[in-house]
Amino acid sequence: MLAALLLATAGCSDHRGHDDTATPRSTPTARVAQPSTPPPTPWPIAAARIDRIPGHLPHHDSSLPRTFPPDDAVLPDLLTDPPGRVRMTYHPRESFDDGGGWHTERVFLLGVDGGWRSLEMADLGLPDSSHPGADTYGAGALSPDGSTWAAPTRAGIVMVDLSSARSRAVHLPGGHTSYLAWHPDGRSVEVVRLHGASTQRTWSIDSLSLGVSRSPYLLPIDGFADDGTVVTFARHGAQTLRTVHRGRSQVTDVVAMPYRHARRGGSVGTERILFGLNRELLAVDGRSGAPIARLRLRPVDAAGWPRGWWRPDTVWFYEASRGLITWDVTNGRTRVLTRVRPAVDDGLYWTASVAVDLMR
């Protein structure tokens, strides 16, 4: 799933005997505001403060565990002992070559009761043909309140109610699930699907009815902004256009930052935006796009991947060799939320998902 970060009728089926169908609803064309005049000032990235991750990281107190469980941990079965709500999920280390089927996929889930449980994906009864194939599978995506877990299949996604352990598969148009993200209100989950060789489209699934509709945008890899909008970036000549999608309406303006930094989208907070670059994270002002600070990774650090805003001045991100880390973009302080132990070898990857309403 991590490497994959890249009509029609949709149906859903309950793997305990229930079977429904849903037809994607058509999307009306939204009116788009004309871009404003581009800001006259240049983009002063050289003036941004440069931070680095120290060799020793202090702990950041939170409701998350200090460490992930060992990859070979023997844990209670989620399906026979559902916790009601889950604070975090963790997929043990895997490689891009893994593709043996559902029997190879195992996800750990931390209940709000403090106990870890294990979900053997083969126990959900999904057909072998629905396994995504070679690549890392990932830890899926927890709803903000931790009540539902969603994960990719070749045909769409599977959703598991964490109170009843009931699983439901939702089939979507397209040939492959690229990634998915929950809306901050928890009422829907959006899924980006590959159509044909290179076209990606976003589908929205109602978390209660499982009704499916086409979204009018391509959801960025970092998902929704904190306020529930979707912010996308596009190139228009030498300019970078920012479009804020709110429901079916769109408003577009011009930001000063170069498109090469914004083309993959960013994690949009209430005041700032975080972009993940090759070997650093970049925080910019949410209104003007002016650079604030850059967090450069050391040569011994693994890839850094933005996960979201812990609070308006602090982001949290994935650093493969050490775990989940926070970075205060105002003073440069970095701390670790949850460590992965032992450190990850090259070629192996772990992933985690967190219920954002339960993590602080």
Side-chain angles (χ1 to χ4, degrees):
M1 182 67 180
L2 183 62
L5 299 176
L6 9 179
L7 242 176
T9 301
C12 60
S13 61
D14 180 347
H15 286 290
R16 302 194 177 185
H18 180 66
D19 186 20
D20 293 319
T21 58
T23 301
R25 297 185 291 272
S26 61
T27 301
T29 302
R31 298 182 62 185
V32 182
Q34 291 299 315
S36 60
T37 303
T41 55
W43 200 61
I45 190 169
R49 190 187 70 248
I50 296 178
D51 300 329
R52 292 185 184 354
I53 304 176
H56 173 73
L57 281 173
H59 181 70
H60 188 145
D61 289 334
S62 73
S63 64
L64 301 180
R66 284 179 171 263
T67 61
F68 294 111
D71 289 359
D72 59 355
V74 178
L75 301 170
D77 178 31
L78 177 93
L79 298 184
T80 59
D81 182 26
R85 291 198 296 167
V86 165
R87 202 179 300 277
M88 167 185 278
T89 64
Y90 169 71
H91 192 299
R93 297 150 222 249
E94 54 184 334
S95 75
F96 288 126
D97 297 329
D98 292 344
W102 291 119
H103 67 279
T104 68
E105 307 298 353
R106 185 185 189 210
V107 180
F108 298 160
L109 301 95
L110 176 67
V112 292
D113 60 1
W116 284 96
R117 294 162 175 84
S118 176
L119 173 62
E120 305 291 338
M121 292 295 293
D123 292 343
L124 294 182
L126 298 165
D128 290 341
S129 60
S130 67
H131 186 270
D135 198 348
T136 55
Y137 182 71
L142 281 169
S143 61
D145 66 356
S147 65
T148 308
W149 180 70
T153 68
R154 183 178 294 276
I157 67 169
V158 61
M159 301 176 72
V160 179
D161 183 302
L162 297 170
S163 292
S164 65
R166 179 191 185 197
S167 65
R168 296 178 292 176
V170 183
H171 299 271
L172 298 170
H176 179 78
T177 297
S178 299
Y179 51 92
L180 60 147
W182 284 87
H183 190 280
D185 65 13
R187 296 176 182 175
S188 62
V189 59
E190 302 223 339
V191 184
V192 175
R193 295 272 291 168
L194 182 65
H195 293 249
S198 59
T199 300
Q200 298 206 85
R201 295 175 183 149
T202 306
W203 300 93
S204 180
I205 303 169
D206 184 285
S207 61
L208 293 179
S209 69
L210 303 190
V212 177
S213 61
R214 170 86 181 274
S215 300
Y217 44 73
L218 179 62
L219 185 73
I221 188 67
D222 293 306
F224 291 89
D226 285 354
D227 63 1
T229 60
V230 171
V231 180
T232 59
F233 297 87
R235 178 163 39 203
H236 181 70
Q239 300 175 355
T240 299
L241 304 184
R242 173 177 54 190
T243 300
V244 178
H245 308 260
R246 189 181 299 276
R248 299 297 176 185
S249 66
Q250 303 173 9
V251 177
T252 299
D253 65 355
V254 176
V255 291
M257 65 184 307
Y259 177 68
R260 68 180 182 274
H261 293 305
R263 63 189 180 89
R264 295 175 181 166
S267 181
V268 181
T270 56
E271 301 174 11
R272 302 172 177 92
I273 305 175
L274 179 70
F275 295 97
L277 308 181
N278 285 337
R279 295 295 301 167
E280 68 179 38
L281 304 178
L282 169 66
V284 306
D285 182 82
R287 180 179 293 273
S288 67
I292 297 171
R294 302 154 73 182
L295 180 64
R296 285 188 174 167
L297 302 180
R298 304 175 305 166
V300 296
D301 293 327
W305 194 264
R307 298 306 309 271
W309 288 88
W310 190 261
R311 58 175 185 255
D313 59 3
T314 302
V315 300
W316 63 293
F317 66 96
Y318 162 105
E319 197 275 310
S321 68
R322 285 191 272 193
L324 299 178
I325 298 174
T326 61
W327 171 42
D328 187 322
V329 302
T330 63
N331 61 25
R333 186 183 187 189
T334 52
R335 291 177 287 175
V336 63
L337 289 164
T338 304
R339 294 183 185 274
V340 60
R341 289 177 172 167
V344 179
D345 296 330
D346 290 342
L348 293 177
Y349 303 87
W350 59 270
T351 46
S353 176
V354 171
V356 295
D357 293 348
L358 306 177
M359 66 182 184
R360 294 176 178 82

